Amino acid sequence: MPFKTGPVSLPGRRIIREAFEELQRTVSPLEAKDFQNTTLEDVEKAAIDIENQLAARKMLRNMRRLKPLFQGLGHYSQSIEVLCNGTPYLPWIWAPIKLILTVILH
């Protein structure tokens, strides 16, 4: 079933903008620089890198449990990309997810 998009509502844009501004106020300038270029592919790559590091240390965890997370994020990205089209917000959605994975899995 293809994903259908329609016009983005003004309240939807406002909610995303306010969340972005609040997050932007809470991170340091160094973190903000990192956040600005993060993609969903970066999040997936970070999980793979973490898995490889854990394997090298013989501390591998069941990383397959993350597969449903990435499937869900893929579906989520289809709608959120429409809301964030033409804005700087999208990388700021993926960067905290990447950060959380890094903190939790290391």
Side-chain angles (χ1 to χ4, degrees), residues 45-99:
K45 184 181 178 313
I48 291 168
D49 291 345
I50 292 166
E51 182 177 27
N52 292 336
Q53 291 170 12
L54 291 172
R57 293 188 305 207
K58 298 186 189 241
M59 298 175 62
L60 193 57
R61 299 181 183 164
N62 183 8
M63 299 294 284
R64 288 180 304 223
R65 64 188 170 169
L66 295 177
K67 187 173 181 165
L69 170 68
F70 289 114
Q71 289 173 336
L73 288 175
H75 293 293
Y76 174 70
S77 73
Q78 293 174 352
S79 59
I80 204 68
E81 285 174 3
V82 173
L83 279 173
C84 295
N85 190 19
T87 69
Y89 309 149
L90 194 58
W92 287 74
I93 293 171
W94 303 132
I97 297 170
K98 179 180 170 185
L99 179 64

Side-chain angles (χ1 to χ4, degrees), residues 9-54:
S9 70
L10 290 178
R13 286 190 187 271
R14 182 184 49 78
I15 289 168
I16 295 293
R17 186 190 71 245
E18 289 172 359
F20 169 75
E21 290 169 353
E22 185 177 335
L23 178 60
Q24 196 175 33
R25 283 190 300 271
T26 63
V27 298
S28 72
L30 182 61
E31 290 170 325
K33 188 176 179 181
D34 250 4
F35 277 30
Q36 291 174 354
N37 299 313
T38 306
T39 64
L40 179 55
E41 290 78 23
D42 294 332
V43 176
E44 293 171 350
K45 184 181 178 313
I48 291 168
D49 291 345
I50 292 166
E51 182 177 27
N52 292 336
Q53 291 170 12
L54 291 172

